Amino acid sequence: MADMTVKGAALAAALAGNFADLPIYDRRAECASRDEIRALQLEKLKAQVAWTYERVAWYRARMDELGVAPADIQTLDDVRRLPFTDKSVLRDTFPYGLFAVPMEQVVELHASSGTTGKPIVVGYNAHDMDVWSDCIARMVQMAGVVPGDRAQMAFGYGMFTGGFGLHYGLQKLGCTMIPAGSGNTERHIAMIEDYGTTVLVATPSYALHVCEVGEKMGYDWEKSTLRVGLFGGEPCPPALKAEIESRMHIVCTDNYGLTEVMGPGVSGECLAARDMQHIAEDHFLWEVVDPATGEPVGEGEVGELVLTPLDKQAIPVLRYRTHDLTRVVCEPCRCGRTTARMQKVRSRSDDMLIIRGTNVFPSQVEDVLSGIEGVTPHYRIVVDTQDGLDRMAVHVELKPESFSDSFEAMDAFRRSIEEKLKGVLLVGCKVRLVEPGGIERTTGKAKHVEDLRK
Ligand SMILES: [Zn+2]
């Protein structure tokens, strides 16, 4: 087995296809057969629904209205008889309305920062903390962390689940925690040097900042002890990850999770399938539904992720609507794990457009454009109506070298993009070619859609 404590070893082993060299934290849970996983999920679902019905008035009332009792849950598909939970439920019952255990048993509270109105608060009893730290330990091992690693935290601690979640899980795996917290980049770099830090927990944009400040200070990342970057808190585009990996000489992964169902660690990226994340299926039942109807989509198709934590005691949540769009595949992974994998979330159902009855996501447009030579990643979708019918236009920005004076050539290029978009979106659209730099840039989240129908 390759020595994973050596810088670059995990990435090198993965790149060489030596996945057997990469350790697995909990083989029983992560490498069980699909039948074993489903049987365990059903057993836990039954118990979880009974626990929730008996202890949480809100769910009891909703289930009574729907005419469903805990005893009606006989198969995993019966989960569809249960009510959905939206973020608003956690807000409306703030602070303790969904709690299922007495406060004396709650060992920790966390909250997610609401941009509007009240935050949502969640509680954990000792059992929940155990499950959570176990999910994280599993997830960080997937990312190449091993017992004995020294992990430096660059997330802020506080009410947000990222800091403490990663802290407990890394400690559970057997790492030495260095709770540096957020801020003071030069101090972070000095600590990496002084303490021999091997793992950095950060947002990807902060990791890039640490990288750049280090370069300016003359710090040699290639000789640094730092081996692994664990990212979270914001989406990590593949290009950013690749850049940090090559400049800092580390392997970087990110994980998925949300405060409402636990925190980080719901799923994590392994080194074999880097666009996908293994779901901790013994703790979470997943569904992928059509965001408009709530009905399941076909196997492997894109839809909204709905999560039911299977052994969450302090604040049980049934069928939580994440509004995150993904697809889930169940084939075994090259890393040896058998747990289902979700594609990294790139868009939310809130971004979905319905064009003449067809669901269209900006990420689909992005995927098509990324496969076309001569266009930039900048685009804008404009939707309006004409004679009561929806119309969609996609403004596509050209690269300087693909500009041509020939009207015929440009028109043929435009039509070829329209054809490609129609093939994927299943609805026609007009493409407008825009000169280089013609699509407005923003420093924050790019605005891709202009819906003039409302
Ligand atoms: Zn894998």
Side-chain angles (χ1 to χ4, degrees):
M1 180 180 273
D3 184 357
M4 290 305 152
T5 61
V6 176
K7 190 173 171 85
L11 187 58
L15 290 174
N18 293 334
F19 300 111
D21 280 356
L22 301 174
I24 294 178
Y25 180 74
D26 184 350
R27 279 189 181 273
R28 240 181 83 201
E30 297 177 78
C31 305
S33 72
R34 294 303 307 164
D35 284 347
E36 286 167 340
I37 290 171
R38 291 179 64 83
L40 178 64
Q41 284 183 321
L42 178 58
E43 185 193 315
K44 284 190 169 186
L45 179 66
K46 288 179 179 176
Q48 182 73 18
V49 171
W51 175 277
T52 309
Y53 185 85
E54 281 157 21
R55 290 160 185 253
V56 184
W58 188 89
Y59 280 111
R60 193 161 52 245
R62 287 293 295 125
M63 286 173 63
D64 287 347
E65 268 170 46
L66 294 170
V68 56
D72 295 327
I73 304 300
Q74 291 302 323
T75 70
L76 283 179
D77 286 342
D78 289 334
V79 74
R80 280 151 55 186
R81 302 182 61 179
L82 298 169
F84 282 123
T85 308
D86 220 313
K87 196 178 192 122
S88 62
V89 178
L90 285 110
R91 248 185 234 127
D92 295 347
T93 54
F94 180 88
Y96 302 136
L98 291 185
F99 279 41
V101 298
M103 276 310 284
E104 307 82 78
Q105 291 175 23
V106 174
V107 298
E108 199 155 316
L109 292 181
H110 281 281
S112 90
S113 51
T115 42
T116 53
K118 280 178 190 155
I120 61 110
V121 65
V122 293
Y124 304 76
N125 68 3
H127 164 87
D128 297 335
M129 292 305 291
D130 217 42
V131 169
W132 190 17
S133 51
D134 218 59
C135 287
I136 301 270
R138 206 187 275 190
M139 177 269 280
V140 299
Q141 178 110 77
M142 239 181 258
V145 179
V146 290
D149 265 318
R150 296 173 201 170
Q152 188 165 319
M153 177 65 67
F155 284 158
Y157 282 87
M159 297 303 282
F160 148 75
T161 47
F164 281 106
L166 268 291
H167 183 107
Y168 296 134
L170 283 157
Q171 223 162 38
K172 188 162 195 172
L173 179 67
C175 298
T176 304
M177 280 313 295
I178 305 171
S182 59
N184 200 337
T185 308
E186 294 187 3
R187 182 169 146 265
H188 265 293
I189 294 163
M191 289 171 82
I192 292 171
E193 172 82 352
D194 294 342
Y195 303 144
T197 301
T198 54
V199 177
L200 180 67
V201 185
T203 62
S205 53
Y206 189 65
L208 181 62
H209 182 64
V210 171
C211 171
E212 284 168 348
V213 171
E215 284 168 353
K216 278 194 198 123
M217 289 163 62
Y219 186 69
D220 186 345
W221 287 113
E222 193 170 2
K223 292 209 182 90
S224 167
T225 48
L226 197 70
R227 264 185 27 247
V228 176
L230 297 176
F231 294 162
E234 64 187 17
C236 182
L240 177 60
K241 189 167 76 175
E243 182 175 348
I244 297 171
E245 287 188 331
S246 71
R247 282 168 72 176
M248 292 180 98
H249 300 268
I250 60 179
V251 57
C252 306
T253 56
D254 55 6
N255 81 90
Y256 173 84
L258 58 176
T259 302
E260 293 82 353
V261 301
M262 180 176 80
V266 172
S267 71
E269 175 185 345
C270 75
L271 297 176
R274 308 205 58 197
D275 189 36
M276 308 291 281
Q277 294 163 324
H278 285 278
I279 302 171
E281 282 188 288
D282 50 337
H283 298 302
F284 295 93
L285 183 66
W286 54 268
E287 299 167 74
V288 182
V289 304
D290 181 323
T293 64
E295 291 300 314
V297 298
E299 212 181 306
E301 282 176 24
V302 173
E304 177 183 343
L305 183 68
V306 173
L307 291 168
T308 302
L310 292 171
D311 40 21
K312 199 160 183 293
Q313 294 184 349
I315 171 164
V317 179
L318 302 179
R319 305 191 81 201
Y320 187 75
R321 305 264 322 227
T322 66
H323 295 285
D324 289 324
L325 297 172
T326 185
R327 53 189 273 275
V328 176
V329 298
C330 296
E331 295 93 62
C333 180
R334 292 186 302 147
C335 73
R337 292 176 181 82
T338 50
T339 43
R341 286 168 291 154
M342 57 183 270
Q343 190 147 36
K344 286 194 184 168
V345 172
R346 289 178 46 211
S347 49
R348 292 174 52 79
S349 58
D350 318 75
D351 303 335
M352 184 179 81
L353 292 162
I354 303 174
I355 310 289
R356 299 197 290 277
T358 303
N359 300 345
V360 171
F361 300 104
S363 58
Q364 292 176 300
V365 172
E366 233 162 87
D367 287 343
V368 171
L369 296 181
S370 71
I372 300 176
E373 289 272 332
V375 303
T376 72
H378 305 287
Y379 68 95
R380 167 85 40 104
I381 299 170
V382 182
V383 188
D384 62 1
T385 48
Q386 190 183 37
D387 304 328
L389 274 180
D390 298 332
R391 279 197 314 189
M392 177 169 62
V394 181
H395 298 188
V396 178
E397 189 181 290
L398 291 165
K399 284 185 179 166
E401 63 271 23
S402 49
F403 231 3
S404 156
D405 285 340
S406 153
F407 173 79
E408 286 76 21
M410 292 316 290
D411 200 49
F413 186 45
R414 188 182 63 75
R415 282 168 194 275
S416 75
I417 301 175
E418 282 177 356
E419 282 298 305
K420 283 182 182 143
L421 284 169
K422 190 174 182 188
V424 171
L425 306 179
L426 309 176
V427 61
C429 67
K430 284 272 171 237
V431 164
R432 214 187 102 202
L433 298 177
V434 178
E435 78 272 20
I439 301 225
E440 190 196 343
R441 311 288 199 266
T442 52
T443 47
K445 205 169 168 260
K447 190 177 180 294
H448 291 306
V449 179
E450 207 173 325
D451 195 340
L452 305 170
R453 293 176 295 183
K454 289 157 201 162

